[in-house]
PDB file of all heavy atoms in Angstrom:
ATOM      1  N   SER A   4       3.302   2.639  -3.436  1.00 83.00           N
ATOM      2  CA  SER A   4       2.803   3.428  -4.378  1.00 83.00           C
ATOM      3  C   SER A   4       2.551   4.909  -3.999  1.00 83.00           C
ATOM      4  O   SER A   4       2.258   5.179  -2.815  1.00 83.00           O
ATOM      5  CB  SER A   4       1.513   2.883  -5.079  1.00 83.00           C
ATOM      6  OG  SER A   4       0.847   3.857  -5.774  1.00 83.00           O
ATOM      7  N   LYS A   5       2.548   5.823  -4.926  1.00 86.00           N
ATOM      8  CA  LYS A   5       2.409   7.302  -4.566  1.00 86.00           C
ATOM      9  C   LYS A   5       0.884   7.518  -4.300  1.00 86.00           C
ATOM     10  O   LYS A   5       0.497   8.461  -3.710  1.00 86.00           O
ATOM     11  CB  LYS A   5       2.824   8.141  -5.659  1.00 86.00           C
ATOM     12  CG  LYS A   5       4.433   8.114  -5.831  1.00 86.00           C
ATOM     13  CD  LYS A   5       4.732   9.041  -6.925  1.00 86.00           C
ATOM     14  CE  LYS A   5       6.350   9.025  -7.059  1.00 86.00           C
ATOM     15  NZ  LYS A   5       6.784  10.018  -8.129  1.00 86.00           N
ATOM     16  N   TRP A   6       0.076   6.692  -4.472  1.00 87.00           N
ATOM     17  CA  TRP A   6      -1.373   6.728  -4.192  1.00 87.00           C
ATOM     18  C   TRP A   6      -1.593   6.812  -2.632  1.00 87.00           C
ATOM     19  O   TRP A   6      -2.723   7.128  -2.178  1.00 87.00           O
ATOM     20  CB  TRP A   6      -2.251   5.611  -4.710  1.00 87.00           C
ATOM     21  CG  TRP A   6      -2.345   5.699  -6.289  1.00 87.00           C
ATOM     22  CD1 TRP A   6      -1.700   4.842  -7.209  1.00 87.00           C
ATOM     23  CD2 TRP A   6      -3.093   6.646  -7.084  1.00 87.00           C
ATOM     24  NE1 TRP A   6      -2.023   5.197  -8.463  1.00 87.00           N
ATOM     25  CE2 TRP A   6      -2.863   6.337  -8.441  1.00 87.00           C
ATOM     26  CE3 TRP A   6      -3.870   7.751  -6.718  1.00 87.00           C
ATOM     27  CZ2 TRP A   6      -3.509   7.017  -9.391  1.00 87.00           C
ATOM     28  CZ3 TRP A   6      -4.562   8.457  -7.807  1.00 87.00           C
ATOM     29  CH2 TRP A   6      -4.281   8.084  -9.129  1.00 87.00           C
ATOM     30  N   CYS A   7      -0.569   6.476  -1.898  1.00 88.00           N
ATOM     31  CA  CYS A   7      -0.729   6.417  -0.438  1.00 88.00           C
ATOM     32  C   CYS A   7      -0.836   7.891  -0.042  1.00 88.00           C
ATOM     33  O   CYS A   7      -1.353   8.098   1.267  1.00 88.00           O
ATOM     34  CB  CYS A   7       0.438   5.749   0.274  1.00 88.00           C
ATOM     35  SG  CYS A   7       2.096   6.590   0.093  1.00 88.00           S
ATOM     36  N   TYR A   8      -0.577   8.918  -0.798  1.00 90.00           N
ATOM     37  CA  TYR A   8      -0.667  10.282  -0.340  1.00 90.00           C
ATOM     38  C   TYR A   8      -1.986  10.859  -0.449  1.00 90.00           C
ATOM     39  O   TYR A   8      -2.399  11.789   0.023  1.00 90.00           O
ATOM     40  CB  TYR A   8       0.272  11.220  -1.071  1.00 90.00           C
ATOM     41  CG  TYR A   8       1.726  10.881  -1.029  1.00 90.00           C
ATOM     42  CD1 TYR A   8       2.550  10.890  -2.121  1.00 90.00           C
ATOM     43  CD2 TYR A   8       2.297  10.661   0.211  1.00 90.00           C
ATOM     44  CE1 TYR A   8       3.937  10.600  -1.970  1.00 90.00           C
ATOM     45  CE2 TYR A   8       3.618  10.429   0.477  1.00 90.00           C
ATOM     46  CZ  TYR A   8       4.482  10.312  -0.770  1.00 90.00           C
ATOM     47  OH  TYR A   8       5.763  10.098  -0.676  1.00 90.00           O
ATOM     48  N   LEU A   9      -2.861  10.000  -1.229  1.00 91.00           N
ATOM     49  CA  LEU A   9      -4.261  10.545  -1.428  1.00 91.00           C
ATOM     50  C   LEU A   9      -5.102  10.547  -0.188  1.00 91.00           C
ATOM     51  O   LEU A   9      -5.284   9.543   0.497  1.00 91.00           O
ATOM     52  CB  LEU A   9      -4.805   9.636  -2.515  1.00 91.00           C
ATOM     53  CG  LEU A   9      -6.343   9.966  -2.948  1.00 91.00           C
ATOM     54  CD1 LEU A   9      -6.349  11.347  -3.820  1.00 91.00           C
ATOM     55  CD2 LEU A   9      -6.798   8.771  -3.822  1.00 91.00           C
ATOM     56  N   PRO A  10      -5.695  11.544   0.202  1.00 93.00           N
ATOM     57  CA  PRO A  10      -6.621  11.684   1.361  1.00 93.00           C
ATOM     58  C   PRO A  10      -7.944  10.782   1.062  1.00 93.00           C
ATOM     59  O   PRO A  10      -8.561  10.980   0.091  1.00 93.00           O
ATOM     60  CB  PRO A  10      -7.030  13.182   1.360  1.00 93.00           C
ATOM     61  CG  PRO A  10      -6.021  13.999   0.681  1.00 93.00           C
ATOM     62  CD  PRO A  10      -5.524  12.929  -0.423  1.00 93.00           C
ATOM     63  N   ARG A  11      -8.080   9.863   1.927  1.00 93.00           N
ATOM     64  CA  ARG A  11      -9.154   8.884   1.795  1.00 93.00           C
ATOM     65  C   ARG A  11      -9.550   8.309   3.034  1.00 93.00           C
ATOM     66  O   ARG A  11      -8.850   8.410   4.035  1.00 93.00           O
ATOM     67  CB  ARG A  11      -8.658   7.761   0.793  1.00 93.00           C
ATOM     68  CG  ARG A  11      -7.519   7.043   1.428  1.00 93.00           C
ATOM     69  CD  ARG A  11      -6.809   6.234   0.288  1.00 93.00           C
ATOM     70  NE  ARG A  11      -5.815   5.343   0.860  1.00 93.00           N
ATOM     71  CZ  ARG A  11      -4.535   5.906   1.130  1.00 93.00           C
ATOM     72  NH1 ARG A  11      -4.291   7.064   1.151  1.00 93.00           N
ATOM     73  NH2 ARG A  11      -3.776   5.069   1.698  1.00 93.00           N
ATOM     74  N   LEU A  12     -10.700   7.600   3.193  1.00 94.00           N
ATOM     75  CA  LEU A  12     -11.094   6.803   4.330  1.00 94.00           C
ATOM     76  C   LEU A  12     -10.518   5.368   4.214  1.00 94.00           C
ATOM     77  O   LEU A  12     -10.530   4.862   3.050  1.00 94.00           O
ATOM     78  CB  LEU A  12     -12.611   6.832   4.379  1.00 94.00           C
ATOM     79  CG  LEU A  12     -13.272   8.036   4.674  1.00 94.00           C
ATOM     80  CD1 LEU A  12     -14.835   7.900   4.728  1.00 94.00           C
ATOM     81  CD2 LEU A  12     -12.797   8.818   5.769  1.00 94.00           C
ATOM     82  N   ILE A  13      -9.972   4.862   5.216  1.00 91.00           N
ATOM     83  CA  ILE A  13      -9.502   3.410   5.329  1.00 91.00           C
ATOM     84  C   ILE A  13     -10.128   2.792   6.528  1.00 91.00           C
ATOM     85  O   ILE A  13     -10.194   3.373   7.534  1.00 91.00           O
ATOM     86  CB  ILE A  13      -7.970   3.467   5.291  1.00 91.00           C
ATOM     87  CG1 ILE A  13      -7.387   4.343   6.526  1.00 91.00           C
ATOM     88  CG2 ILE A  13      -7.394   3.877   3.952  1.00 91.00           C
ATOM     89  CD1 ILE A  13      -6.014   4.231   6.588  1.00 91.00           C
ATOM     90  N   PRO A  14     -10.512   1.557   6.382  1.00 90.00           N
ATOM     91  CA  PRO A  14     -10.966   0.766   7.595  1.00 90.00           C
ATOM     92  C   PRO A  14      -9.841   0.539   8.593  1.00 90.00           C
ATOM     93  O   PRO A  14      -8.767   0.304   8.160  1.00 90.00           O
ATOM     94  CB  PRO A  14     -11.564  -0.480   7.051  1.00 90.00           C
ATOM     95  CG  PRO A  14     -10.823  -0.660   5.645  1.00 90.00           C
ATOM     96  CD  PRO A  14     -10.477   0.659   5.187  1.00 90.00           C
ATOM     97  N   ALA A  15     -10.148   0.627   9.861  1.00 84.00           N
ATOM     98  CA  ALA A  15      -9.227   0.430  10.988  1.00 84.00           C
ATOM     99  C   ALA A  15      -7.862   1.165  10.711  1.00 84.00           C
ATOM    100  O   ALA A  15      -6.893   0.568  10.737  1.00 84.00           O
ATOM    101  CB  ALA A  15      -8.979  -1.064  10.990  1.00 84.00           C
ATOM    102  N   PRO A  16      -7.841   2.496  10.670  1.00 84.00           N
ATOM    103  CA  PRO A  16      -6.647   3.283  10.427  1.00 84.00           C
ATOM    104  C   PRO A  16      -5.718   3.040  11.571  1.00 84.00           C
ATOM    105  O   PRO A  16      -4.507   3.208  11.516  1.00 84.00           O
ATOM    106  CB  PRO A  16      -7.107   4.654  10.319  1.00 84.00           C
ATOM    107  CG  PRO A  16      -8.455   4.690  11.109  1.00 84.00           C
ATOM    108  CD  PRO A  16      -9.012   3.334  10.873  1.00 84.00           C
ATOM    109  N   GLN A  17      -6.159   2.674  12.780  1.00 81.00           N
ATOM    110  CA  GLN A  17      -5.352   2.654  14.057  1.00 81.00           C
ATOM    111  C   GLN A  17      -4.262   1.388  13.822  1.00 81.00           C
ATOM    112  O   GLN A  17      -3.215   1.353  14.409  1.00 81.00           O
ATOM    113  CB  GLN A  17      -6.149   2.325  15.251  1.00 81.00           C
ATOM    114  CG  GLN A  17      -6.827   0.946  15.362  1.00 81.00           C
ATOM    115  CD  GLN A  17      -8.085   0.877  14.650  1.00 81.00           C
ATOM    116  OE1 GLN A  17      -8.511   1.881  13.947  1.00 81.00           O
ATOM    117  NE2 GLN A  17      -8.949  -0.069  14.677  1.00 81.00           N
ATOM    118  N   ALA A  18      -4.614   0.459  12.935  1.00 77.00           N
ATOM    119  CA  ALA A  18      -3.701  -0.682  12.663  1.00 77.00           C
ATOM    120  C   ALA A  18      -2.533  -0.226  11.971  1.00 77.00           C
ATOM    121  O   ALA A  18      -1.366  -0.877  11.881  1.00 77.00           O
ATOM    122  CB  ALA A  18      -4.438  -1.784  11.941  1.00 77.00           C
ATOM    123  N   LEU A  19      -2.522   0.947  11.318  1.00 79.00           N
ATOM    124  CA  LEU A  19      -1.382   1.391  10.465  1.00 79.00           C
ATOM    125  C   LEU A  19      -0.507   2.374  11.293  1.00 79.00           C
ATOM    126  O   LEU A  19       0.439   2.826  10.769  1.00 79.00           O
ATOM    127  CB  LEU A  19      -1.862   2.127   9.252  1.00 79.00           C
ATOM    128  CG  LEU A  19      -2.706   1.280   8.298  1.00 79.00           C
ATOM    129  CD1 LEU A  19      -3.165   2.113   7.064  1.00 79.00           C
ATOM    130  CD2 LEU A  19      -1.905   0.029   7.794  1.00 79.00           C
TER     131      LEU A  19
END
Side-chain angles (χ1 to χ4, degrees):
S4 172
K5 293 182 179 180
W6 289 107
C7 66
Y8 298 135
L9 182 67
R11 64 200 185 280
L12 297 181
I13 54 178
Q17 69 277 5
L19 302 178

